[in-house]
Amino acid sequence: MPQNEPSMLETLRRIVQDVDSAPSFQAALEILVRSVRDATHTEVCSVYLLDDRTERLVLMATEGLNANAIGMVSLAFDEGLVGLCATREEPINLQDAPNHPRYRYFPETGEEHYNAFVAVPIMNRRKVLGVLVVQQRTNRRFDEGEVAFLVTLSAQLSGVVAHAKVMGQLEMVRGSRTTQTQIYQGIMGAAGVTLGRAVVLYPPADLEQVPDRSVEDLEHELEFLARAIEEVRADVRALDDRMSGTLMPEERALFDVYLRMLDDHALPSEIAERIEAGNWAQGALREVIDEHMQNFAMMDDPYLRERMSDVRDLGLRILAKLQDSETEDTREFPDNSILIGEDISTAMLLEVPLDKVSGVVSATGAANSHMAIVARALGIPTVVGVSDLPVTSLDDAEMIVDAYLGRLFVQPSRALRKRYKDIIKEEQQLVAGLDAYKQKEAITPDGHVVALCVNTGLMADVARAKDRGAEGVGLYRSEIPFMLRERFPGEEEQRQIYRQQLEAFAPKPVTMRTLDIGGDKDLPYFPIREDNPALGWRGVRITLDHPEIFMVQVRAMLKASSGLDNLNILLPMVTTVSEVEDSVALIHRAVEELREEGEFDIRLPRIGIMVEVPAAVIQIADLAKRVDFVSIGSNDLTQYLLAVDRNNSRVADLYSPYHPAVLRAVRYVVNEAHRVGKPVSICGEMAGDPGTAILLMAMGFDTLSMSASNLLKVRKTICHTPMALAKDLLEQLLELDRPQDIRDEVEKVLSALGLHNLTRARSES
Ligand code: PEP
Ligand code: MG
């Protein structure tokens, strides 16, 4: 790239921004080819994208070749230099392209004059989506910097292409758009299949996430807007007055700009137009602000680009007024609502009327995100990590969630709906078939008994757990009631919550985990902002830094267990011996304090640690000696052993409880804890999966604790799997070195035992 020009980084940033803010996908491609041709000072830049149906790379946009060739010229993977680049999945840089044996000439492109040629693949998640090509007359070889520039650009833009593909925009560009079902792919968060209508959840004061929604009462919506605008004008004037002594007149000129933008003929009339076209006030506002932002983004003048932030600011002010005046609970949740959102947190999920919710779909998150675990506990089919989800346009859309396949079907065809209704019926029969296991003991055909407990958090879990014959609570996630409040609950408030759980199961044990926040578990009133939250301030690290929070909680647990004597206390995220000693000392202190206060019959509970980090695995004997029991938190242990963020859908394929390192680590913990005489349970999601459950049983766990939704499946599995067989299988599998091989073997065994329908997606059959 020639000198004395914007830096490569600046040029890249600019192109990516322009492409991102283009009003349509076709415009984005046109901007891309034009800007790349200019930036590289070449004569031709073209984009070829893969058409999945024909498996051909189609010329989609060009600057320099004959525009009539767009959509007409296409190549198979074994054709031409473009095909070669796609096959090799690497850049091709040629000085004299026409003399290359793979060169293919298309007269309709008029490309005979170009010698120098560079092609770079557009890759997303290991797949070729297309090829970006630059050509020049001069017989020269592009330098390394130029090729690197194109590779970087292509990598940054691959997301835009992937998104467009999912949205069906590729077909639209080619003029063959159909009204077909749209399919989005994510990951299973909680098993199940459901059919319903989307309700978009979005955080307040976030313009980008406001969904489109059809307007019901036009007059009312316009009035709503007028009132909001009037209030913002009044605020701006008041601000202007307040600042008159502080700001210079030219700085205060901004307020005039704002007022001009708020003039009836400016933004308000544009928004009103959109409302009249059918969108509600908030959606109309988003559309208008978006459009202005895009226009500003295209401008070269840095001053005007700066005005983007003013428009945005004004948009947010209007939005806040619109949201303020929206009366509480005006939100309607029809039966079978499917919650859709960019990032649905546990707190957001728990706020809605759950009896109306039949599914959840979140653009972010992965299988073991906290929200997914809670959804599993509630038995709500959930798909997470749907990175291409066009959230704002889905409100009220009819859809099918197939969580087994991690798939979402929007506007399903009649045939698809029929097929899924059948699957749902089959599912219900399967569940009904499991009812027989409600009263049974989990005992293998060769007579080994396995204790099955549940993981709880909500009161709703209790009834389900008891109905399914749980033998106690292996993990009570105490952070869940904390999430449902607007401040830390007080000691008496906590005592009552804990008492309900303890009483419901007494005399069976209830293992209460002390507050486990941080990582992906945020309390709205105690936000923790860190660069690496998973490696930061979480679990016992927080409660040791805040003994006032820890002591209140432990005191409440101890008081709640008075007279029941079924409390176990579990410490999360333990990494060092001193954390255990300090926490145990605090628990002892709480017992003494309460005894001194003399109000309750207080006994010292059994105390345990969670094994969630590799350090705790390696030092398990040292840690276990200091407590009464050990419980493996396999969700976090898998994340830390494999260095795979449990919330990141990009690396979700790597997150596997069948990874040999996970299985070997878990077995090591069982053996070591038993060697020092301590019982071991496992309360991560591994315990609730029939496939891994039989391996855990073979390892000799004393207790498996899982979501109530999985209890009957696992009990059935145990009742049909002889311990001798499970042990043989485990020994065999511990020799294998690939997660997928291990998983395949387990599935074979489950199939042979007639249990495959407990783990397989019904819809695949
Ligand atoms: C775990 O990490 O396995 C666990 C049970 O805790 P959570 O999923 O709540 O982090
Ligand atoms: Mg954990």
Side-chain angles (χ1 to χ4, degrees), residues 387-546:
S387 47
D388 298 308
L389 196 66
V391 174
T392 54
S393 63
L394 291 179
D395 203 49
D396 206 36
E398 191 180 355
M399 51 185 60
I400 291 170
V401 175
D402 182 343
Y404 291 113
L405 298 180
R407 210 164 283 168
L408 172 68
F409 301 89
V410 178
Q411 267 145 16
S413 63
R414 191 157 349 141
L416 203 62
R417 258 182 290 153
K418 155 105 186 49
R419 179 146 168 254
Y420 271 94
K421 279 187 180 153
D422 291 347
I423 290 170
I424 291 170
K425 215 180 283 162
E426 244 180 79
E427 279 259 315
Q428 285 161 347
Q429 282 160 0
L430 181 74
V431 171
L434 287 173
D435 277 356
Y437 290 85
K438 280 185 177 173
Q439 319 300 340
K440 289 198 177 145
E441 205 181 7
I443 178 164
T444 62
D446 47 355
H448 290 264
V449 179
V450 185
L452 299 187
C453 285
V454 278
N455 298 345
T456 62
L458 296 165
M459 261 330 271
D461 296 329
V462 173
R464 284 152 49 89
K466 291 189 70 176
D467 174 57
R468 291 166 196 193
E471 287 162 61
V473 176
L475 171 68
Y476 169 67
R477 288 189 163 96
S478 70
E479 68 277 5
I480 292 183
F482 277 64
M483 282 173 185
L484 295 173
R485 284 167 175 71
E486 288 176 352
R487 51 167 178 75
F488 283 108
E491 187 173 309
E492 177 53 20
E493 210 176 337
Q494 288 188 49
R495 187 194 69 78
Q496 289 177 16
I497 302 168
Y498 302 152
R499 180 80 188 178
Q500 285 180 326
Q501 291 274 334
L502 290 161
E503 239 169 16
F505 288 94
K508 290 174 179 157
V510 174
T511 303
M512 298 201 146
R513 175 167 76 183
T514 59
L515 188 63
D516 186 19
I517 52 171
D520 69 330
K521 298 176 215 169
D522 239 1
L523 295 180
Y525 48 88
F526 191 66
I528 301 167
R529 301 275 167 260
E530 293 180 308
D531 281 346
N532 284 307
L535 302 183
W537 205 42
R538 51 172 309 193
V540 79
R541 300 172 186 179
I542 296 181
T543 45
L544 281 173
D545 285 350
H546 281 280

Side-chain angles (χ1 to χ4, degrees), residues 182-421:
Q182 299 141 51
I183 304 172
Y184 301 95
Q185 187 65 48
I187 306 157
M188 175 166 87
V193 174
T194 188
L195 226 143
R197 280 198 178 273
V199 176
V200 174
L201 291 190
Y202 56 99
D206 186 340
L207 202 52
E208 272 129 52
Q209 295 198 40
V210 169
D212 289 332
R213 190 173 294 162
S214 47
V215 69
E216 275 163 24
D217 180 344
L218 183 64
E219 285 310 306
H220 176 255
E221 211 63 21
L222 288 170
E223 242 171 64
F224 219 33
L225 171 72
R227 204 171 339 130
I229 297 284
E230 200 36 65
E231 285 171 8
V232 176
R233 276 186 200 135
D235 285 355
V236 173
R237 281 194 207 104
L239 199 61
D240 188 17
D241 283 348
R242 246 202 350 265
M243 292 296 157
S244 59
T246 328
L247 294 182
M248 304 291 283
E250 59 271 24
E251 289 163 337
R252 282 173 54 208
L254 177 64
F255 299 124
D256 284 336
V257 175
Y258 273 27
L259 288 172
R260 273 205 302 281
M261 287 198 265
L262 288 170
D263 192 84
D264 280 341
H265 305 294
L267 286 180
S269 80
E270 291 175 47
I271 303 168
E273 238 171 70
R274 307 286 178 137
I275 296 177
E276 276 154 11
N279 207 350
W280 68 322
Q282 294 187 32
L285 170 71
R286 194 209 67 235
E287 285 186 78
V288 169
I289 300 293
D290 262 7
E291 204 173 274
H292 281 278
M293 302 272 286
Q294 282 170 15
N295 290 341
F296 279 123
M298 306 248 195
M299 294 179 184
D300 277 326
D301 183 335
Y303 172 80
L304 286 178
R305 276 181 169 248
E306 268 306 300
R307 296 280 71 74
M308 269 171 81
S309 59
D310 297 335
V311 176
R312 201 184 138 67
D313 178 60
L314 211 48
L316 284 175
R317 282 168 190 269
I318 304 170
L319 181 69
K321 297 291 179 197
L322 289 172
Q323 291 184 336
D324 269 358
S325 39
E326 203 185 12
T327 47
E328 282 222 332
D329 299 328
T330 45
R331 212 54 222 279
E332 279 194 14
F333 288 88
D335 287 343
N336 292 325
S337 290
I338 295 175
L339 307 179
I340 303 268
E342 273 305 326
D343 186 8
I344 299 186
S345 65
T346 310
M348 277 161 99
L349 170 65
L350 296 179
E351 257 169 25
V352 304
L354 290 171
D355 55 328
K356 299 281 188 188
V357 176
S358 75
V360 178
V361 180
S362 178
T364 57
N368 280 332
S369 304
H370 197 251
M371 185 280 285
I373 289 175
V374 172
R376 228 169 287 163
L378 293 166
I380 304 175
T382 297
V383 174
V384 290
V386 192
S387 47
D388 298 308
L389 196 66
V391 174
T392 54
S393 63
L394 291 179
D395 203 49
D396 206 36
E398 191 180 355
M399 51 185 60
I400 291 170
V401 175
D402 182 343
Y404 291 113
L405 298 180
R407 210 164 283 168
L408 172 68
F409 301 89
V410 178
Q411 267 145 16
S413 63
R414 191 157 349 141
L416 203 62
R417 258 182 290 153
K418 155 105 186 49
R419 179 146 168 254
Y420 271 94
K421 279 187 180 153

Side-chain angles (χ1 to χ4, degrees), residues 690-705:
T692 34
I694 55 173
L695 301 180
L696 298 171
M697 165 181 104
M699 289 180 195
F701 273 93
D702 301 285
T703 304
L704 305 183
S705 188

Side-chain angles (χ1 to χ4, degrees), residues 12-13 31 139 163 329 426 435 561 699:
L12 268 171
R13 193 191 60 78
I31 293 171
N139 195 316
H163 182 73
D329 299 328
E426 244 180 79
D435 277 356
S561 72
M699 289 180 195

Side-chain angles (χ1 to χ4, degrees), residues 129-150:
L129 301 181
V131 176
L132 176 67
V133 177
V134 165
Q135 291 169 277
Q136 198 170 7
R137 280 196 182 84
T138 331
N139 195 316
R140 71 157 179 121
R141 200 177 155 79
F142 285 92
D143 70 31
E144 215 173 81
E146 288 167 313
V147 178
F149 169 79
L150 292 172

Side-chain angles (χ1 to χ4, degrees), residues 368-370 373 455 475 477 479 513 516 520-521 538 570 572-573 610-612 631-638 640 646 655 682-686:
N368 280 332
S369 304
H370 197 251
I373 289 175
N455 298 345
L475 171 68
R477 288 189 163 96
E479 68 277 5
R513 175 167 76 183
D516 186 19
D520 69 330
K521 298 176 215 169
R538 51 172 309 193
L570 184 60
M573 274 296 290
M610 288 192 80
V611 177
E612 299 186 280
S631 182
I632 296 184
S634 57
N635 306 335
D636 277 314
L637 185 58
T638 306
Y640 293 122
R646 65 194 255 189
Y655 185 100
I682 181 159
C683 58
E685 296 300 303
M686 250 177 120

